[in-house]
Amino acid sequence: MNTPDFAFMGEFMPTCSYCNETYWFGGIKDGDRHFCNDDCHAHGQLLDIAEQLPADAVANYIHSMRDGDCPVCGGPGPIEVYTSYRVWSAVLLTSWSNKPRISCKKCATKAQLGGLAFSTVLGWWGFPWGLVMTPVQIIRNIGGMLSSKDTRAPSPQLVKFLKINLAANVLNQQQQQQR
């Protein structure tokens, strides 16, 4: 049986090479990469630097960061990328967001509880998207709080974030040496 090929959707709904968000309109195409806005495009050079870093240096950095202290509370790791979700609405205007951050599970749960409370109070007030997106964001936060990540290996999202962070550190050092 033939299955439809939905690969063409990537042309209409690209994913940002920097922040991994899918966007509908606009964006910036730079070679093979797509960026959702000017800020992500400006950070695109970090992706190039990250690809050129020695694999062993990257692996050591990821291991030390992942097993280190939480950057939010200072408590023990492991750390991982967790996302909290929010929505707010006002009559015909609705805005929703996903906020990934690196933290321990305890800090992630606090952020997801905050997103849940925020969305529960402020999400419903828009038509039609407030009524649609509020339950979606509430369920995403609850799912995030209830799920557990595999702590044996870092997620691809954590690896990408930490590689970009390491690339930013390298770039800052290079800029300081040039001064």
Side-chain angles (χ1 to χ4, degrees), residues 55-142:
D56 58 335
V58 171
N60 290 338
Y61 180 74
I62 290 170
H63 178 73
S64 68
M65 291 297 294
R66 187 174 170 284
D67 293 334
D69 294 336
C70 173
V72 177
C73 70
I79 61 166
E80 190 49 78
V81 176
Y82 296 96
T83 305
S84 61
Y85 305 90
R86 287 184 165 196
V87 60
W88 67 267
S89 297
V91 188
L92 296 175
L93 177 65
T94 300
S95 176
W96 58 91
S97 63
N98 307 336
K99 297 185 179 190
R101 76 173 181 179
I102 297 173
S103 71
C104 66
K105 178 66 173 167
K106 181 178 166 186
C107 290
T109 300
K110 285 181 185 178
Q112 290 160 338
L113 277 170
L116 176 75
F118 184 93
S119 299
T120 300
V121 173
L122 299 174
W124 302 100
W125 307 107
F127 183 79
W129 294 109
L131 299 173
V132 172
M133 289 307 298
T134 300
V136 169
Q137 298 298 66
I138 287 172
I139 290 168
R140 285 177 168 173
N141 279 309
I142 292 170

Side-chain angles (χ1 to χ4, degrees), residues 16 18-19 23 26-28 34-43:
C16 180
Y18 182 73
C19 71
Y23 56 96
I28 300 164
H34 294 268
F35 300 96
C36 59
N37 58 44
D38 289 332
D39 191 39
C40 284
H41 183 244
H43 287 97

